[in-house]
Structures are given as C-alpha cells and as structure tokens.
Amino acid sequence: MNSLATGWLSPAEWEVLILSLKVSGVAIVAALPASFALAWVLARWRFPGKVLVDALVHLPLVLPPVVTGWLLLIAFSPNAPLGGFLERTFGVTFLFRWTGAALAAAVMALPLMVRAMRLSLEAVDRRLESAARTLGAGPWRTFATVTLPLSANGILAALVLGLARSVGEFGATITFASNIPGETQTLPLAIYSALQMPGSDIQVARLAGLSVLLSVGALVLSEWLARRSGQEKGRHVV
C-alpha cells in the first residue's frame, strides 16, 4: 500500500520533513538576536550610512542565492579564517553538515525577519513610551512593559515568515552545504532530487504538496498575527 493512498509519508519523507523543521528551527533561533538588533537600529537610530546598512541587510533578498552560498563557502569553509576559528574554538563545522544548511537558511531568512520586526517597532506609539518614562520607568522597564508587548505579535509574525523562508531555502543551501540525504537534504532539495529520478511523479507531488501546505499555513498565521497586532495598537491609541 503506497503512502499516497494511506495519506502517510514514507520513512524517508518523514526524515526529510523532520530535518527541514530542525534546520529551520535552529536557523530562526540563531537569526533572532541579530534580526531584532538590526531592526531596532534601523527603526530607532539615525546615523550616517544607515541607507548602506539597510541595503546590506536586505541584500540576500535580491542577490542570487547561489552567490550567497558561494560567499558563505568563502567565509565559513574550514580553510577560511572565520570557519577555521569556529571549528578550532567551538568545534562547529558548517561545510556539508546540517549546521551549514541552518546557517544558509538563517542568512536567507534574516532580511524578511528584520523587515517585519522593523515595521512592528516603528508602529509602536512613542507617546506611550514617553509616558512610561515620565512615570519613572527606566529604559529596560519601558522596553519590557511597553515596547515589547506592543510589538510582540509583529515579532512573532516575523519569526513565522522567517520559518517559512527557511523551509523553502534551496540555492544557498545546495551551494554551501550540498544535497546529502539524511544530513543536509531538506524539503526543496528532496523535491529537486526526486525530479531527477524517472517515475517519481507521485513522490514529487507529495513533497510539493507538503511544501505548499507549510507555506500557506505560515502565511495565514503571519497575516493573522499582523492583523491582531494592528488591532491591539488601535485599542492602545484609543
């Protein structure tokens, strides 16, 4: 009985799905601090060269993913200064490992996360922060009790968007971490491999359907969080 008839994925496809979620989850957790810091700087600070920083942050959105993977290869291969330092100091290896796939996914997801977080932070009513300061709250307390709650849904929406982008990452991953079953073969790479095999139409359809399902679910959840964030801000302003 084939897996399409029963509605279940094959063991190999389950392995691909679990690896994809693992790679994407690690990528989002790793990208979260940098994304929030960049979003905060771009939303709240004015400084010379801000346009250049903004452009560099969003560069992976417009750069060919293969080029991004090649740049990662140059920076994080064991023979590169940065990659060699991380391997010797922390024992972290990226090349041809799932950690490399997570790094590639994090780099590709970061611009979307920064953009969504920045919009959320810019939408926070600064008068509420000023009122908290006037009542004696320090910067950290103002952040924890006013800024973060008002931007929380936007930050969650950014995480969901980043997760969806990570699950769909292909070009940078195959260039930097290769397409190794059980190690770096995530969902898009598994679809690519299945397309190379004759008679694998059902498997391709199954994996593609799963990919579409995950993407639609992430977009719906992200939109719901964004709308909820707007409604909460409206209530606070009123």
Side-chain angles (χ1 to χ4, degrees):
M1 184 180 297
N2 64 53
S3 54
L4 181 63
T6 60
W8 292 95
L9 301 174
S10 69
E13 291 163 351
W14 273 113
E15 184 182 48
V16 167
L17 176 60
I18 292 171
L19 178 62
S20 297
L21 295 177
K22 173 184 171 183
V23 165
S24 302
V26 171
I28 295 309
V29 171
L32 175 59
S35 300
F36 188 80
L38 287 167
W40 183 271
V41 168
L42 293 173
R44 298 298 177 91
W45 291 10
R46 292 184 178 179
F47 55 91
K50 182 176 178 179
V51 174
L52 179 60
V53 173
D54 198 9
L56 289 174
V57 167
H58 291 88
L59 191 60
L61 282 180
V62 295
L63 203 62
V66 173
V67 176
T68 302
W70 176 70
L71 293 174
L72 289 174
L73 201 59
I74 291 176
F76 291 98
S77 67
N79 296 327
L82 182 56
F85 169 77
L86 292 173
E87 186 172 356
R88 289 191 303 273
T89 307
F90 302 105
V92 178
T93 305
F94 293 104
L95 202 60
F96 306 132
R97 301 288 300 275
W98 72 269
T99 48
L103 177 60
V107 170
M108 297 303 292
L110 187 134
L112 281 178
M113 294 173 63
V114 171
R115 191 175 185 83
M117 289 181 187
R118 178 183 178 179
L119 291 174
S120 178
L121 289 170
E122 287 176 343
V124 172
D125 190 343
R126 304 293 292 272
R127 292 173 298 180
L128 296 175
E129 294 177 331
S130 299
R133 295 284 189 89
T134 304
L135 294 174
W140 284 108
R141 189 173 180 185
T142 301
F143 172 77
T145 59
V146 178
T147 310
L148 190 58
L150 288 177
S151 58
N153 285 325
I155 294 171
L156 287 176
L159 292 176
V160 174
L161 277 177
L163 185 68
R165 181 65 186 86
S166 299
V167 171
E169 162 50 28
F170 177 81
T173 301
I174 198 170
T175 305
F176 179 52
S178 191
N179 182 9
I180 305 172
E183 182 65 38
T184 65
Q185 190 178 78
T186 54
L187 198 51
L189 275 64
I191 294 173
Y192 173 77
S193 296
L195 283 170
Q196 312 304 311
M197 297 186 297
S200 59
D201 294 348
I202 292 179
Q203 184 184 5
V204 171
R206 201 159 49 225
L207 292 173
L210 183 60
S211 181
V212 170
L213 188 64
L214 289 173
S215 299
V216 170
L219 288 173
V220 170
L221 179 58
S222 174
E223 181 64 21
W224 178 76
L225 287 169
R227 288 176 180 272
R228 186 175 174 183
S229 177
Q231 291 171 354
E232 288 186 355
K233 289 185 181 71
R235 284 200 297 269
H236 280 91
V237 169
V238 173

